[in-house]
Amino acid sequence: AGNTPDPVALNQDALAHRKRDELNEAERLLRRAIEIEDVQVAADSPKRPHRRNNLAIVLMRAEKLAAATELNADAWRLKAGQHDLTSGRVLFVRIALRYLLGDRDIALYLGQLKTLLRRDGLDCRGDIVPTWDIPDVLTMLRERLEPARADLLGRVAAVLNDRARVASLDACDAWRATTAVPLETPWSDDRVAPIAGG
């Protein structure tokens, strides 16, 4: 299969398109990357949740929130028992999606993030780039969410890139009010309730 595109290259291309707001092309490339990679890697490969979460981000940017929520939940299920840096990114996207869907109840996901960030080291399984470059996503969240929520997500993104900044989260009421939750705690029903008038 010498002419099969490399999923990593497709992923990188997709990220470049996402940052230029070329979301249909980003989605197409990531779907293709997942299709190819799923044939190549083991069922428990850390690449699977990573790639699905990247696609969830593109769908979130494209305001396809139900599809994004489904993929993000798939990514979390695939992380079971092998939590790492990607798990933090999956939780970030989950919290962002819940907020965008008008859901205030994010205690479970914030609590799991608190548990994750208390770990000694957050390995990077699956050979992913350790720095997460999502300025376009943070801009969208600042435009769409109330300031306190956008601020919390901005701080979470910064902490995922630099654990030394974890204390900055204490500036957020939601974070201070959150109790750590075990990572094994199942997420609530993943179906997205249709938003009135949506």
Side-chain angles (χ1 to χ4, degrees):
N3 56 0
T4 304
D6 171 36
V8 176
L10 289 170
N11 183 76
Q12 291 316 107
D13 269 2
L15 298 186
H17 283 289
R18 190 199 78 209
K19 285 183 201 153
R20 290 196 299 264
D21 282 331
E22 295 161 359
L23 301 174
N24 289 339
E25 184 59 8
E27 177 182 346
R28 188 188 71 74
L29 290 166
L30 277 166
R31 287 192 185 281
R32 183 79 179 108
I34 289 169
E35 194 182 295
I36 294 166
E37 198 164 60
D38 279 0
V39 176
Q40 298 173 349
V41 302
D44 64 352
S45 166
K47 289 190 180 298
R48 288 177 182 246
H50 171 61
R51 214 67 78 206
R52 280 164 174 76
N53 199 54
N54 280 349
L55 178 53
I57 291 171
V58 169
L59 294 170
M60 177 171 81
R61 286 275 331 274
E63 306 203 26
K64 297 177 181 177
L65 301 182
T69 297
E70 208 170 292
L71 266 157
N72 172 250
D74 272 354
W76 185 252
R77 276 192 291 275
L78 290 165
K79 289 307 296 173
Q82 52 166 347
H83 288 290
D84 65 351
L85 191 57
T86 297
S87 308
R89 296 178 184 182
V90 173
L91 286 165
F92 170 95
V93 173
R94 181 66 175 195
I95 293 164
L97 283 166
R98 298 322 305 166
Y99 277 161
L100 288 167
L101 288 160
D103 180 3
R104 294 181 175 275
D105 186 21
I106 57 151
L108 167 62
Y109 317 114
L110 260 189
Q112 288 180 323
L113 188 60
K114 203 166 238 189
T115 298
L116 187 75
L117 292 175
R118 283 183 179 164
R119 293 188 158 192
D120 284 342
L122 274 190
D123 307 335
C124 235
R125 300 172 191 257
D127 209 19
I128 65 168
V129 179
T131 307
W132 206 24
D133 187 21
I134 54 165
D136 56 310
V137 177
L138 294 172
T139 297
M140 171 202 177
L141 295 172
R142 277 194 295 270
E143 288 166 358
R144 299 277 310 279
L145 299 178
E146 57 195 55
R149 293 176 174 190
D151 178 54
L152 172 66
L153 286 163
R155 287 170 191 265
V156 168
V159 168
L160 289 173
N161 282 341
D162 177 8
R163 292 282 292 288
R165 299 173 73 165
V166 74
S168 74
L169 287 167
D170 291 331
C172 302
D173 295 340
W175 182 258
R176 285 199 311 276
T178 296
T179 310
V181 175
L183 295 172
E184 300 69 49
T185 306
W187 282 6
S188 49
D189 185 28
D190 294 322
R191 300 312 143 253
V192 182
I195 296 171

